[in-house]
Amino acid sequence: MPSAFQSRSHRLAVSWFRIKEVADQIFAIEEPGHVQSYLVNGDRRSALIDTGLGLAPLHPVVDELAQPEIVVLNTHWHFDHVMGNPAFETIAIAGEERRLIQRAIDNATLRRIYIDACLVSGPPLPPGFDPQCCRFPGSVAARPLADGDTIDLGGRTLIALATPGHTRGSMSFLDTRTGALACGDLVYAGTLYAHFTDSDTEAYRQSLEALLDRAGDIRQILPGHNRYPLTTDWLGKAHQVFTALREGPSAAETTSAWGAPVRRHHGDQLDLLTPVPGSAGIDLAARLWPERTRSVQ
Ligand SMILES: [Zn+2]
């Protein structure tokens, strides 16, 4: 019989997450308006690609769908993709981003950089959510991921592909059974972020080019934000913006993100943010852990 805590967690989880099977035994687990994670079930074990914001307990919904053995694969270190990690035992992320997910994020910081804005103007938070309780204790990734690593789930394999650009260690995961590519924040319908200090627009362009080169293996895109799944032509749309950026002055405007000036470039159904010329960009690590003298650099 479930304890009072378990049943409350279960009710909260069921009422908060939106779940949809997007391909054969691949489930999108959406925190509506925020972010989505993806559960890929093999015959022996399951992979959970990202764990979202951790605003409601993810374990109850995952347990209902997954194999008993679960490996978490993080696409990158940003808090909106990893805060559900602590509920899971086995976590993997690109080697260079392991130390970043080990750092705790306190309640005051999370409120300042994310939660307070949601309370004022949305997107919505879970019913009964207590903003005072939201914090991230950090999580340990026992397994460092590298380009070309394979994750055998039994009857299907995920290939880890290094797709740097949004962050230095960003990874995408290609399911060999369905051709679904879970790509984190590499491509989605909306405004792409390459304006952080650990973003790299040329690496971003090359990551997209490498995926276009293997377009025959990819049949759909599972993005970390906004609508999903996306058709594979979104790789080309994103590549076009980065190519235009490299080839010369583009029709960009200066705008503001996170209280700092950035350049906004317009593409076909998506935009791109880059640092203003002469600036290194927004140092997200310094904003999350201002007391540290060393940043993500
Ligand atoms: Zn991100």
Side-chain angles (χ1 to χ4, degrees), residues 76 78 81 166 185:
H76 65 296
H78 286 164
H81 296 259
H166 173 67
D185 286 355

Side-chain angles (χ1 to χ4, degrees), residues 50 75-81 166-167 170 184-186 188 193 196 225 284:
D50 286 340
T75 58
H76 65 296
W77 67 274
H78 286 164
F79 65 92
D80 52 333
H81 296 259
H166 173 67
T167 67
S170 288
D185 286 355
L186 182 77
Y188 48 76
Y193 288 176
F196 298 117
H225 297 280
L284 183 57

Side-chain angles (χ1 to χ4, degrees), residues 230-245:
L230 294 177
T231 48
T232 53
D233 59 322
W234 282 85
L235 293 172
K237 290 182 201 290
H239 183 254
Q240 235 170 37
V241 184
F242 285 93
T243 303
L245 181 68

Side-chain angles (χ1 to χ4, degrees), residues 54-244:
L55 301 175
L58 182 57
H59 229 298
V61 293
V62 169
D63 284 352
E64 284 189 4
L65 297 167
Q67 299 285 8
E69 186 186 341
I70 298 167
V71 56
V72 168
L73 307 173
N74 288 137
T75 58
H76 65 296
W77 67 274
H78 286 164
F79 65 92
D80 52 333
H81 296 259
V82 305
M83 290 215 301
N85 279 11
F88 299 91
E89 269 176 34
T90 309
I91 295 158
I93 191 169
E96 61 265 55
E97 299 199 347
R98 281 164 92 190
R99 67 193 168 87
L100 289 160
I101 65 166
Q102 286 179 17
R103 299 178 183 175
I105 308 173
D106 63 33
N107 179 254
T109 302
L110 276 172
R111 291 201 61 161
R112 189 177 66 245
I113 64 169
Y114 195 79
I115 302 293
D116 285 352
C118 297
L119 290 168
V120 172
S121 54
L125 296 164
F129 176 75
D130 179 359
Q132 306 288 348
C133 292
C134 183
R135 60 182 289 278
F136 176 59
S139 72
V140 175
R143 180 172 169 185
L145 287 174
D147 184 48
D149 281 358
T150 55
I151 300 101
D152 179 8
L153 302 178
R156 79 192 315 163
T157 299
L158 297 178
I159 306 172
L161 300 170
T163 47
H166 173 67
T167 67
R168 198 167 291 146
S170 288
M171 307 285 298
S172 298
F173 300 97
L174 177 63
D175 173 42
T176 53
R177 185 192 288 178
T178 63
L181 180 81
C183 65
D185 286 355
L186 182 77
V187 178
Y188 48 76
T191 300
L192 303 180
Y193 288 176
H195 61 295
F196 298 117
T197 47
D198 65 335
S199 302
D200 181 329
T201 54
E202 181 54 17
Y204 211 134
R205 191 191 65 78
Q206 288 175 11
S207 293
L208 291 161
E209 201 153 280
L211 293 176
L212 287 167
D213 283 346
R214 61 186 306 159
D217 300 333
I218 302 170
R219 291 209 278 279
Q220 66 175 350
I221 308 289
L222 306 179
H225 297 280
N226 304 338
R227 64 189 168 89
Y228 61 87
L230 294 177
T231 48
T232 53
D233 59 322
W234 282 85
L235 293 172
K237 290 182 201 290
H239 183 254
Q240 235 170 37
V241 184
F242 285 93
T243 303

